[in-house]
Amino acid sequence: MSSPALRYATSAKSAKHTLATLTGVQKRNLLNKMADHLISHSESILEGNQQDMADGRKAGLSNALLDRLLLNPERIQDMASSLRQIAQSQDPVGEKYDFKILDNGLEIAKMRVPIGVVMIIFESRPNVASDAAGLCLMSGNACILRGGKEAIHSVTAIGRSLKHALSEMKLPPELVTIVEDPDRNLMEELLQLDQHIDLVVPRGGEGLIGFVTEHSRIPVVKHDKGLCHVYLDAKADHKMAHQIAINSKVQRPGVCNAMETLLVHKDIAGEILPKLCAELEKKKVEIRGCSQTVKICPDQTKVATEEDWNTEYLDLILNLRIVESFEQAIEHIRQYGSGHSEAIVTDDYQRARQFQTQVDAAAVYVNASTRFTDGGQFGMGAEIGISTQKLHCRGPMGLRDLTSSKYIINGSGHIR
Amino acid sequence: MSSPALRYATSAKSAKHTLATLTGVQKRNLLNKMADHLISHSESILEGNQQDMADGRKAGLSNALLDRLLLNPERIQDMASSLRQIAQSQDPVGEKYDFKILDNGLEIAKMRVPIGVVMIIFESRPNVASDAAGLCLMSGNACILRGGKEAIHSVTAIGRSLKHALSEMKLPPELVTIVEDPDRNLMEELLQLDQHIDLVVPRGGEGLIGFVTEHSRIPVVKHDKGLCHVYLDAKADHKMAHQIAINSKVQRPGVCNAMETLLVHKDIAGEILPKLCAELEKKKVEIRGCSQTVKICPDQTKVATEEDWNTEYLDLILNLRIVESFEQAIEHIRQYGSGHSEAIVTDDYQRARQFQTQVDAAAVYVNASTRFTDGGQFGMGAEIGISTQKLHCRGPMGLRDLTSSKYIINGSGHIR
């Protein structure tokens, strides 16, 4: 008898071929039907969710966690809309690019192809299940969805509703494989099956990502933390600097592309900081500053510790450091940045170019808020996450990043 | 005290920044100097190699292995030429692509950037050391080179000669870090250091690749076996079919893009095979065929076993199967192919398109020999290997595939 992990993986693998030859139109149909079935099965999805919520309350989950877990008719509508939006995206599969004709007349191009079987490991947000399934199927991949144990009934119910759409299209139900058993050992076993599963995308906290990296033989695309900086250069436009700093911090502080640390060149700190700190205080932002900052804005500033510079607050707390030079700002970002999103505000052409060349991050901004790092904002459509690693894809990971490629070569009897 | 593995990794990591800002011209200079130093240090490289050859003979290495290990003045010249050729390639770093302007006026593009620290793990060919160092440095990456224990003195001497070029350019010697200790435990420790090393490329046999995949926390780009097929379709031009079959098998049978199995549609087998088998016999190719093949070419054909269809011979042995249909050919390739290079010979437009869509391999050919799967042949310049995996890059892996990307975004005070 094969193990449950192996059964999940082999059935997903054997189903994947059925997607490879679907046209864009057929995949759009499928996703729209999935949206319909989410709505028509709302009742059973909400039942599953109520069970998870009850279990969660008993287990003493925090209100924040319970809110992430909660589904209601409006949230199910949003999940359906998201699927319909993915259904309108450009089909990446079969797209050809990098054409060239070699001197010998051989024609060569790359063609985007599905990766195969993609496993998404997530935590408590049940909507990740339908989003991830939509993105995987639209890019021609079978998916294995493994949600957190606190969301298990919600995810299972969502998975069942999606399978109705697969069966209407006469596609195998294993294209959306739900791991209904939240056991960690089972997940660990799944992470060994690199002959069956082609990619793992963990979406969640550091604990989950560490566990997956540690145990996976399968290639992983990581969506790690965002410790983002904004640097206000000596030659920054003051009004622009003020607006970008405020926006990067307060527009939505709880997300990975929000600013955690503001770096200000010493030449403009005296002029810009008093007004900026006052505005931050009005927005209820707590400031942890370097010793210089404390002198300029003594009222609302605590002294930042080494740990603070290393912390992704995801909250209304901001580190603030006055730097001696452009180079010191770059050095600070190199030391503490997580390689997510980094911004400079400057009117100096050379500084702008140097910043974008020297700072190593998924997204490097000149004169714009870090808050734009997002598949939707980048015009890519929905995203499965934001990759903070350098292999395969980096930054918002959309449909195209869920594909691989193959070389297609056309000759007329070419031999070597 | 830190371990030797950690010392290798941290010194390579701390050196990598020095390369990120070099211009193409500076990198070309560096590679040309490396070539010069290979030549001027020929004597010590040959001494190291003689030691390895002596040790190898004592250890009873096969003649084939000893030949791979052997260096002589001509081979060192070839290594230097290869570096000079890489020095002439287009610098991939800083290249911008995928430009777009969003509706809000934000400009966004991708820029190629170095990956960081790349570790190459190889076996007995010492020339891999200089090729890999050249490719890594030209693409802005620090490299850690870990050769097989049988080549340790050669690789160490090559590494020392290359470091002279680094020091002439006032670059840190750790940009080319040679693991001078062939201990497997040390390699295992290195494979854990995903905070320092960004990519591992194992080049060698299945044993090495399995070991690396098993033990690495670092992302791996695999260069696995090539079990390549050529399918002669019912509508193939007979002369072209004959030439491509012969070329794919015999032009250089010992390499991964050579054909191992020939599939022939039943409608043309009777006409095409007698002449083809006679020619293969003349070229000293042993045939292992299906029962049908044995009937058509009884003299030189043994019956193929299930194991044969699964074997990468890298030798003058060919599996030959007569298939009932196009679909059976596709199915055979799906079952036995290693996803390296697959070819169809046909004059049928639909079949050509279907083959290229349905066959999942790094390179899929119509009317050309599988022997073209090679960075040089594809016009990419030198390659670090041929990736048979789907993540990051697939097919010949050249300079561009040794880079990552970052989004660069230019605004004029954009906020959300």
Side-chain angles (χ1 to χ4, degrees):
Chain A
M1 257 311 276
S2 64
S3 74
L6 195 59
R7 281 203 300 279
Y8 284 128
T10 47
S11 64
K13 186 184 181 183
S14 67
K16 73 178 178 182
H17 297 300
T18 57
L19 272 181
T21 52
L22 291 192
T23 62
V25 170
Q26 289 170 313
K27 288 188 282 191
R28 290 184 217 297
N29 274 345
L30 172 62
L31 266 66
N32 286 325
K33 278 182 203 291
M34 283 162 59
D36 295 343
H37 280 285
L38 274 184
I39 303 294
S40 66
H41 292 80
S42 289
E43 208 173 311
S44 60
I45 294 171
L46 290 173
E47 264 172 37
N49 188 248
Q50 277 148 21
Q51 165 103 55
D52 286 333
M53 290 293 288
D55 293 350
R57 278 189 214 97
K58 254 185 256 164
L61 295 189
S62 70
N63 283 335
L65 250 175
L66 287 171
D67 180 61
R68 273 188 230 162
L69 186 55
L70 178 72
L71 289 179
N72 53 35
E74 198 195 342
R75 287 189 177 180
I76 294 179
Q77 280 289 354
D78 287 347
M79 288 160 61
S81 306
S82 170
L83 282 173
R84 293 203 175 93
Q85 206 193 330
I86 298 168
Q88 284 170 35
S89 314
Q90 198 185 331
D91 181 3
V93 175
E95 207 182 328
K96 294 180 195 165
Y97 60 105
D98 281 1
F99 286 90
K100 54 186 166 186
I101 298 186
L102 305 181
D103 283 349
N104 60 8
L106 212 52
E107 289 171 47
I108 170 167
K110 283 177 151 182
M111 184 197 271
R112 286 190 217 288
V113 298
I115 289 174
V117 177
V118 178
M119 176 158 69
I120 320 288
I121 299 181
F122 55 103
E123 295 183 322
S124 54
R125 288 183 201 274
N127 66 309
V128 174
S130 57
D131 284 2
L135 285 163
C136 286
L137 296 176
M138 192 67 200
S139 50
N141 298 295
C143 63
I144 299 178
L145 304 173
R146 197 278 186 194
K149 68 170 184 302
E150 62 278 17
I152 192 78
H153 298 98
S154 314
V155 170
T156 303
I158 290 167
R160 287 189 187 149
S161 77
L162 301 179
K163 282 172 193 288
H164 286 283
L166 291 167
S167 90
E168 259 181 47
M169 301 274 297
K170 308 216 180 324
L171 290 165
E174 294 83 5
L175 287 174
V176 178
T177 291
I178 308 286
V179 180
E180 297 190 8
D181 177 355
D183 179 37
R184 268 225 162 174
N185 293 330
L186 173 66
M187 172 161 80
E188 212 178 313
E189 245 185 279
L190 280 164
L191 291 171
Q192 295 301 308
L193 302 176
D194 60 335
Q195 299 302 313
H196 300 81
I197 304 171
D198 300 286
L199 170 65
V200 180
V201 182
R203 285 193 54 171
E206 285 187 58
L208 176 73
I209 290 171
F211 183 86
V212 170
T213 314
E214 170 86 33
H215 292 93
S216 185
R217 278 180 70 106
I218 307 165
V220 178
V221 173
K222 268 187 275 192
H223 302 253
D224 229 329
K225 69 175 182 177
L227 205 166
C228 308
H229 300 77
V230 173
Y231 165 58
L232 309 180
D233 185 49
K235 298 235 175 102
D237 175 280
H238 290 200
K239 191 177 157 206
M240 196 189 285
H242 181 91
Q243 288 177 339
I244 288 176
I246 295 290
N247 184 263
S248 297
K249 183 67 232 176
V250 308
Q251 198 252 348
R252 200 172 165 199
V255 291
C256 58
N257 60 16
M259 165 177 69
E260 304 295 354
T261 297
L262 179 67
L263 304 169
V264 183
H265 193 282
K266 68 175 191 313
D267 291 356
I268 60 164
E271 199 179 323
I272 216 168
L273 278 188
K275 194 178 150 206
L276 186 61
C277 290
E279 179 76 8
L280 287 166
E281 190 175 24
K282 225 162 67 186
K283 305 276 191 194
K284 314 252 182 275
V285 178
E286 179 191 325
I287 299 174
R288 304 194 183 166
C290 64
S291 54
Q292 295 291 90
T293 309
V294 177
K295 279 182 207 152
I296 298 178
C297 307
D299 294 345
Q300 69 257 60
T301 310
K302 288 190 206 164
V303 176
T305 64
E306 178 65 18
E307 198 193 331
D308 288 330
W309 305 116
N310 269 313
T311 301
E312 183 193 22
Y313 297 114
L314 298 173
D315 203 350
L316 287 172
I317 306 173
L318 176 70
N319 297 320
L320 208 162
R321 180 178 177 189
I322 295 170
V323 293
E324 293 297 305
S325 62
F326 173 82
E327 289 70 25
Q328 200 178 41
I330 296 278
E331 195 42 49
H332 183 102
I333 292 170
R334 196 166 279 163
Q335 188 173 351
Y336 299 105
S338 66
H340 193 294
S341 300
E342 307 291 355
I344 185 175
V345 182
T346 189
D347 281 346
D348 182 323
Y349 178 78
Q350 288 296 346
R351 288 302 187 218
R353 263 175 66 94
Q354 286 170 337
F355 191 85
Q356 284 188 320
T357 310
Q358 293 175 23
V359 170
D360 189 21
V364 189
Y365 291 84
V366 172
N367 295 346
S369 166
T370 54
R371 287 279 296 113
F372 285 102
T373 307
D374 171 272
Q377 293 293 324
F378 277 12
M380 296 163 57
E383 65 183 29
I384 203 151
I386 294 173
S387 163
T388 51
Q389 70 176 45
K390 290 184 151 187
L391 271 288
H392 186 63
C393 69
R394 196 178 191 201
M397 184 177 187
L399 282 178
R400 206 186 247 187
D401 302 304
L402 283 167
T403 64
S404 176
S405 66
K406 63 185 174 195
Y407 282 98
I408 57 169
I409 305 103
N410 293 70
S412 46
H414 285 71
I415 55 173
R416 278 181 80 177
Chain B
M1 259 309 277
S2 63
S3 73
L6 194 60
R7 282 204 301 280
Y8 283 128
T10 47
S11 64
K13 186 184 182 183
S14 68
K16 71 177 179 183
H17 297 299
T18 57
L19 272 182
T21 52
L22 292 192
T23 62
V25 170
Q26 289 169 311
K27 287 187 285 193
R28 291 184 216 295
N29 274 345
L30 171 63
L31 265 67
N32 285 324
K33 278 182 203 291
M34 283 162 60
D36 296 343
H37 281 285
L38 274 183
I39 303 293
S40 65
H41 292 81
S42 289
E43 207 172 314
S44 61
I45 294 172
L46 290 173
E47 265 172 38
N49 188 248
Q50 277 148 20
Q51 165 103 54
D52 285 333
M53 291 292 289
D55 292 351
R57 277 188 215 98
K58 254 185 258 163
L61 294 189
S62 70
N63 283 336
L65 251 176
L66 288 172
D67 180 60
R68 273 187 232 164
L69 185 54
L70 177 73
L71 289 179
N72 54 34
E74 197 195 341
R75 287 190 176 179
I76 294 180
Q77 280 289 356
D78 288 346
M79 288 161 60
S81 306
S82 171
L83 281 173
R84 292 202 177 94
Q85 205 193 330
I86 298 169
Q88 284 171 36
S89 314
Q90 198 185 332
D91 181 2
V93 175
E95 206 183 329
K96 293 181 196 167
Y97 60 105
D98 281 0
F99 286 91
K100 54 187 166 185
I101 298 186
L102 305 181
D103 284 348
N104 60 8
L106 211 53
E107 288 171 47
I108 169 167
K110 283 177 150 181
M111 184 196 270
R112 286 189 218 287
V113 298
I115 289 173
V117 178
V118 178
M119 176 158 68
I120 320 288
I121 299 181
F122 56 104
E123 296 184 321
S124 54
R125 288 182 199 273
N127 66 308
V128 174
S130 57
D131 285 2
L135 286 164
C136 286
L137 296 175
M138 192 66 199
S139 50
N141 298 294
C143 63
I144 299 178
L145 304 174
R146 196 277 186 194
K149 69 172 184 304
E150 64 277 17
I152 194 77
H153 298 98
S154 314
V155 169
T156 302
I158 290 167
R160 285 187 189 148
S161 78
L162 301 179
K163 282 171 193 289
H164 287 283
L166 290 167
S167 91
E168 259 182 47
M169 301 275 296
K170 306 212 182 327
L171 289 165
E174 294 83 4
L175 288 174
V176 178
T177 291
I178 308 286
V179 180
E180 297 191 8
D181 178 355
D183 179 38
R184 267 224 162 174
N185 293 330
L186 174 66
M187 173 161 81
E188 212 178 313
E189 244 186 280
L190 280 164
L191 291 171
Q192 294 301 308
L193 302 176
D194 59 335
Q195 299 301 312
H196 300 79
I197 304 172
D198 300 286
L199 170 64
V200 180
V201 182
R203 286 193 53 169
E206 285 188 58
L208 176 73
I209 290 170
F211 183 86
V212 170
T213 314
E214 171 86 32
H215 292 93
S216 185
R217 278 179 70 105
I218 307 164
V220 177
V221 173
K222 269 187 275 190
H223 301 253
D224 228 329
K225 70 175 181 177
L227 204 166
C228 307
H229 300 77
V230 173
Y231 165 58
L232 309 180
D233 186 49
K235 299 236 174 101
D237 175 280
H238 289 201
K239 191 178 159 204
M240 194 188 284
H242 181 93
Q243 288 177 339
I244 289 177
I246 295 291
N247 184 264
S248 297
K249 183 67 234 175
V250 309
Q251 199 253 347
R252 200 172 164 199
V255 291
C256 57
N257 60 16
M259 167 177 66
E260 303 295 356
T261 298
L262 179 68
L263 304 168
V264 183
H265 193 281
K266 68 175 192 314
D267 290 357
I268 59 163
E271 200 179 323
I272 217 168
L273 280 188
K275 195 178 150 204
L276 186 61
C277 289
E279 179 77 8
L280 287 165
E281 190 175 23
K282 225 162 66 187
K283 306 274 192 194
K284 313 249 181 279
V285 178
E286 178 192 325
I287 300 175
R288 304 195 181 165
C290 64
S291 54
Q292 295 290 92
T293 309
V294 177
K295 278 183 208 154
I296 298 179
C297 307
D299 294 345
Q300 70 256 62
T301 310
K302 287 190 206 165
V303 176
T305 64
E306 178 66 18
E307 198 193 331
D308 287 331
W309 305 116
N310 269 313
T311 300
E312 183 193 22
Y313 298 113
L314 299 172
D315 203 349
L316 288 173
I317 306 173
L318 175 69
N319 297 319
L320 208 162
R321 180 178 178 190
I322 295 170
V323 293
E324 293 296 306
S325 62
F326 173 82
E327 289 71 24
Q328 199 178 40
I330 296 277
E331 194 42 49
H332 183 103
I333 292 170
R334 196 167 279 162
Q335 189 174 351
Y336 299 104
S338 66
H340 193 295
S341 300
E342 307 292 355
I344 185 174
V345 182
T346 189
D347 281 346
D348 183 322
Y349 179 78
Q350 287 297 346
R351 288 302 186 217
R353 262 175 66 95
Q354 285 170 338
F355 190 84
Q356 284 188 321
T357 311
Q358 292 175 23
V359 170
D360 190 22
V364 188
Y365 292 84
V366 172
N367 295 346
S369 166
T370 54
R371 288 279 297 113
F372 285 102
T373 307
D374 171 273
Q377 293 293 324
F378 278 11
M380 296 162 58
E383 65 183 27
I384 203 152
I386 293 173
S387 163
T388 51
Q389 70 176 47
K390 291 183 150 187
L391 272 287
H392 187 62
C393 69
R394 197 178 190 200
M397 185 176 187
L399 283 178
R400 206 187 244 186
D401 302 304
L402 282 167
T403 64
S404 177
S405 65
K406 63 185 174 194
Y407 282 98
I408 57 168
I409 305 103
N410 294 69
S412 46
H414 284 72
I415 55 173
R416 275 179 82 176

